[in-house]
Amino acid sequence: MSALPKTKPDDTRDRIMDVADRLFRQVGFAKTTVADIAAELDMSPANVYRFFASKNAIVEAICRRCLAELDARAWEIARSRGSAPARLERLVLEILAYHKENLLTDKRVNDIVLVAIEDSWDAIEAHKEVIRNVVELIIRDGIAAGEFEKVDPAETSLLLMRSLVAFVHPVLISQCLTDEEDVDAQAKASIRFSLRAITPRT
């Protein structure tokens, strides 16, 4: 009888993250222990610690994985067809939708976000730079197509993201969601208002 194939380390890491993410959302970050995660996986806590130094390290890994998914989606939007203004609006709305769906469903999930931001600063800074580069690429396309003024693309991308931070930062989005107003409508109005500053006057 042949032996069962060994599980790859990356597969085990992914399983630990999947189970931890589910428990964090169901029970809450504070109430979930590494022992709970290990029990769900039918392994010892010591085995979990072989892959992650702490519970916070698991959150950081989950954060990095989520941001990688969001980065990939952002590049797809940047390289898609459509006008530059339309792609920029779509980018902001999809980031907003991603955070609303995946990170801000209830207070327990918001607690995970706060831990991730505190412990994954390097990953978040790298993600912010990816989004800025995506915005810069779209602005360059807009300039080439005559849709935008001949502004400095790098500087303008930074200024644009700062002006729209309320719709791309998960903690700020959670605050917006407490309002009765339509957050998507606010985001659309804000990006269209910001883009007027670089749209040629006819």
Side-chain angles (χ1 to χ4, degrees):
M1 186 175 181
S2 59
L4 292 173
K6 291 184 178 179
T7 304
K8 295 179 181 179
D10 285 349
D11 292 340
T12 302
R13 283 178 60 86
D14 286 342
R15 287 176 57 222
I16 292 170
M17 284 190 283
D18 290 342
V19 168
D21 190 32
R22 176 168 55 79
L23 288 177
F24 292 155
R25 292 169 186 267
Q26 291 177 347
V27 182
F29 174 77
K31 293 182 179 179
T32 302
T33 66
V34 171
D36 295 330
I37 297 167
E40 286 285 317
L41 291 161
D42 196 23
M43 64 172 63
S44 68
N47 202 22
V48 174
Y49 284 121
R50 285 179 54 216
F51 296 91
F52 297 98
S54 65
K55 185 171 71 170
N56 283 23
I58 300 175
V59 174
E60 182 176 357
I62 293 170
C63 175
R64 290 178 182 274
R65 183 169 67 177
C66 290
L67 292 178
E69 292 173 0
L70 195 49
D71 290 348
R73 186 69 191 118
W75 282 118
E76 286 180 13
I77 294 169
R79 293 166 177 149
S80 64
R81 294 183 178 181
S83 69
R87 279 182 284 157
L88 284 170
E89 182 174 306
R90 184 178 163 202
L91 174 68
V92 172
L93 290 177
E94 292 217 16
I95 293 174
L96 174 60
Y98 181 91
H99 287 315
K100 284 166 61 178
E101 179 181 356
N102 292 288
L103 301 176
L104 299 164
T105 53
D106 57 39
K107 184 181 182 303
R108 284 172 295 186
V109 179
N110 199 45
D111 289 343
I112 303 170
V113 174
L114 294 176
V115 173
I117 289 173
E118 183 176 342
D119 290 354
S120 308
W121 192 249
D122 289 344
I124 291 168
E125 285 297 300
H127 166 69
K128 286 166 60 179
E129 183 61 13
V130 167
I131 300 302
R132 194 204 62 75
N133 284 331
V134 166
V135 172
E136 180 179 340
L137 174 62
I138 298 174
I139 289 173
R140 288 183 183 277
D141 287 349
I143 294 171
E147 296 166 328
F148 297 144
E149 298 281 359
K150 293 181 179 178
V151 294
D152 181 318
E155 179 185 35
T156 304
S157 64
L158 184 60
L159 293 171
L160 184 59
M161 293 313 299
R162 283 176 178 169
S163 71
L164 298 169
V165 67
F167 307 107
V168 297
H169 190 293
V171 174
L172 297 179
I173 291 170
S174 68
Q175 294 173 357
C176 290
L177 293 178
T178 61
D179 298 334
E180 294 184 1
E181 295 181 45
D182 185 340
V183 179
D184 286 15
Q186 292 178 27
K188 288 180 182 178
S190 294
I191 192 166
R192 291 173 186 178
F193 178 82
S194 297
L195 290 181
R196 285 177 200 159
I198 61 172
T199 301
R201 302 294 188 267
T202 54

